[in-house]
């Protein structure tokens, strides 16, 4: 058995197929695997323990999970204020998962060239807010290669997962970062066909600037897996800090007396959209928990 990084078509050993029953994909992009090269077809016989991974429910209400990628240094969320719009809730769900697994995360707001004046102001406001929370944020237009250089510098030397809705321009962004990649993106004629996913499987790309980038198919929804309601506030940097001043150590910041988070809402110290995203995530994961019993 030896481990290398060339392209080989493989099948997965039966023991992993069975062990991963709750997961739709026992092996994911980013996994380090050991392959038996003496068999035809080649067989993945060993999956190294993961340093980290990003996981979601395979579809809403499902008990099956989907590992989007493993072993990364950074989660790069690609979003757009319009065409298609990404909600702050979607962004925050991914950020929460990254926080839960201790993975640094950053945000790209792409398609800055197609935004109205009002939408441009919204994008800037969002960028400031997420930057303030400690998530580096970039405003880009992949097609006109605007804002690409600072992003390239930031990604240098890292192994990066790129994630976001279909059509926000993930693959286009990778091509803008390294034109040599020449990844397939949807063309104008396909743009209006709903539900078209241009990238159909996750793939790791080596760039000429020393970054390994995992491009993934667009995800419509991001259902959280294994996040305890009591831990949720700890995955919001601002709530984590504020909650030290709540009266109860296990405050859910919902309706408890002397809650520092709710007070901060009145003074504007915490953004309203973040607090409402917190509450809606809290509600879904709390009802998930009841359902599982
Ligand atoms: N105007 C404009 N169009 C863009 C930009 N980035 C991407 N596009 C266009 O948006 C469409 C979707 O781009 P893709 O790169 O295929 O999107 P994707 O996120 O990889 O989509 P999936 O692979 O389906 O997840 C294509 O028609 C691109 O040309 C941008 O910054 N500005
Ligand atoms: Mg794509
Ligand atoms: Zn509280």
């Amino acid at each position: 058995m030896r481990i290398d990084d060339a392209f080989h078509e493989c099948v997965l050993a039966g023991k992993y197929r069975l062990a991963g029953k709750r997961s739709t994909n026992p092996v994911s992009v980013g996994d380090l695997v050991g392959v038996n090269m003496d068999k035809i077809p080649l067989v993945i016989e060993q999956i190294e323990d993961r340093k980290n991974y990003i996981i979601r429910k395979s579809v809403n209400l499902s008990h099956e999970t989907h590992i989007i990628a493993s072993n990364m240094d950074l989660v790069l969320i690609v979003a757009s204020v319009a065409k298609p719009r990404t909600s702050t809730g979607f962004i925050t769900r991914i950020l929460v998962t990254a926080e839960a697994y201790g993975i640094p995360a950053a945000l790209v707001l792409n398609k800055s060239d197609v935004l109205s004046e009002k939408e441009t102001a919204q994008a800037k406001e969002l960028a400031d807010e997420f930057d303030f929370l400690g998530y580096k944020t970039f405003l880009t237009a992949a097609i006109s290669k605007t804002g690409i250089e600072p992003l390239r510098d930031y990604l240098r030397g890292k192994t990066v997962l790129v994630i976001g809705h279909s059509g926000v321009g993930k693959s286009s962004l990778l091509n803008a970062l390294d034109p040599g990649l020449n990844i397939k993106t949807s063309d104008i004629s396909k743009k209006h066909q709903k539900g078209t996913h241009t990238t159909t499987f996750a793939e790791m790309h080596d760039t000429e600037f020393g970054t390994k980038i995992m491009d993934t198919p667009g995800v419509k929804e991001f259902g959280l897996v294994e996040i305890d309601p009591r831990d949720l506030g700890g995955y919001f940097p601002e709530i984590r800090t504020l909650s030290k001043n709540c009266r109860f150590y296990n405050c859910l910041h919902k309706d408890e007396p002397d809650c520092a988070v709710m007070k901060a809402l009145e003074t504007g110290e915490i953004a309203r959209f973040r607090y409402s995203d917190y509450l809606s995530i809290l509600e879904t994961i709390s009802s998930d928990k009841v359902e599982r019993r």
Side-chain angles (χ1 to χ4, degrees):
M1 183 126 43
R2 72 189 167 94
I3 292 176
D4 65 21
D5 60 0
F7 279 91
H8 300 288
E9 225 173 280
C10 299
V11 295
L12 185 60
K15 63 173 178 178
Y16 284 115
R17 288 204 300 269
L18 291 174
K21 257 202 306 209
R22 275 200 58 162
S23 168
T24 52
N25 62 326
V27 64
S28 83
V29 65
D31 270 332
L32 280 168
V33 298
V35 175
N36 185 334
M37 308 290 271
D38 298 328
K39 290 192 180 155
I40 296 175
L42 307 183
V43 181
I44 294 177
E45 291 191 340
Q46 188 188 336
I47 303 173
E48 297 289 306
D49 287 344
R50 296 175 176 127
K51 175 174 95 171
N52 57 37
Y53 53 91
I54 290 289
I55 188 168
R56 65 161 184 145
K57 285 188 182 183
S58 58
V59 286
N60 246 6
L61 300 176
S62 163
H63 292 289
E64 276 189 337
T65 57
H66 171 218
I67 297 167
I68 295 180
S70 325
N71 301 319
M72 69 214 81
D73 301 318
L74 180 78
V75 179
L76 188 68
I77 304 167
V78 181
S80 176
V81 167
K83 295 179 182 121
R85 174 178 174 273
T86 306
S87 71
T88 57
F90 179 82
I91 295 170
T92 293
R93 279 165 185 272
I94 301 174
L95 290 176
V96 162
T97 301
E99 292 276 350
Y101 290 89
I103 313 171
L107 177 65
V108 172
L109 296 173
N110 189 39
K111 299 207 172 179
S112 60
D113 57 321
V114 296
L115 304 183
S116 67
E117 230 172 86
K118 196 175 156 205
E119 288 162 346
T120 302
Q122 266 175 16
K124 285 186 179 149
E125 215 172 290
L126 267 190
D128 284 349
E129 187 62 44
F130 282 110
D131 257 326
F132 173 76
L133 295 173
Y135 305 110
K136 190 110 182 76
T137 302
F138 300 86
L139 294 172
T140 63
I143 295 302
S144 57
K145 300 205 173 159
T146 311
I148 299 300
E149 253 162 56
L151 179 60
R152 190 186 291 123
D153 285 340
Y154 181 71
L155 301 182
R156 221 174 280 280
K158 297 178 176 134
T159 299
V160 181
L161 163 65
V162 173
I163 180 170
H165 287 320
S166 185
V168 292
K170 297 179 294 300
S171 302
S172 305
L173 204 61
L174 265 57
N175 287 337
L177 287 162
D178 180 355
L181 291 176
N182 207 5
I183 303 168
K184 189 170 174 244
T185 61
S186 75
D187 57 32
I188 303 297
S189 63
K190 278 197 190 156
K191 224 164 65 176
H192 301 292
Q193 288 176 21
K194 283 212 170 129
T196 312
H197 288 256
T198 307
T199 304
T200 51
F201 59 92
E203 186 174 356
M204 172 102 76
H205 300 276
D206 273 302
T207 65
E208 46 92 24
F209 56 97
T211 294
K212 285 181 186 294
I213 298 195
M214 300 184 258
D215 190 13
T216 59
V219 288
K220 200 156 177 242
E221 285 170 288
F222 194 96
L224 296 178
V225 178
E226 286 162 9
I227 305 276
D228 194 285
R230 294 273 167 209
D231 296 332
L232 183 64
Y235 303 138
F236 284 66
E238 71 278 48
I239 294 180
R240 187 162 60 222
T241 308
L242 287 163
S243 64
K244 291 180 185 127
N245 298 320
C246 294
R247 189 205 291 186
F248 301 110
Y249 80 96
N250 58 355
C251 185
L252 281 175
H253 325 299
K254 224 170 92 185
D255 41 29
E256 295 88 341
D258 290 332
C259 168
V261 175
M262 283 188 278
K263 263 185 219 149
L265 200 60
E266 286 159 30
T267 59
E269 265 178 279
I270 173 170
R272 288 210 164 260
F273 79 86
R274 285 281 286 178
Y275 183 68
S276 74
D277 287 342
Y278 167 80
L279 285 185
S280 92
I281 294 172
L282 187 66
E283 197 175 312
T284 29
I285 61 178
S286 303
S287 61
D288 280 359
K289 224 183 158 190
V290 172
E291 194 193 309
R292 272 207 302 273
R293 276 192 196 131

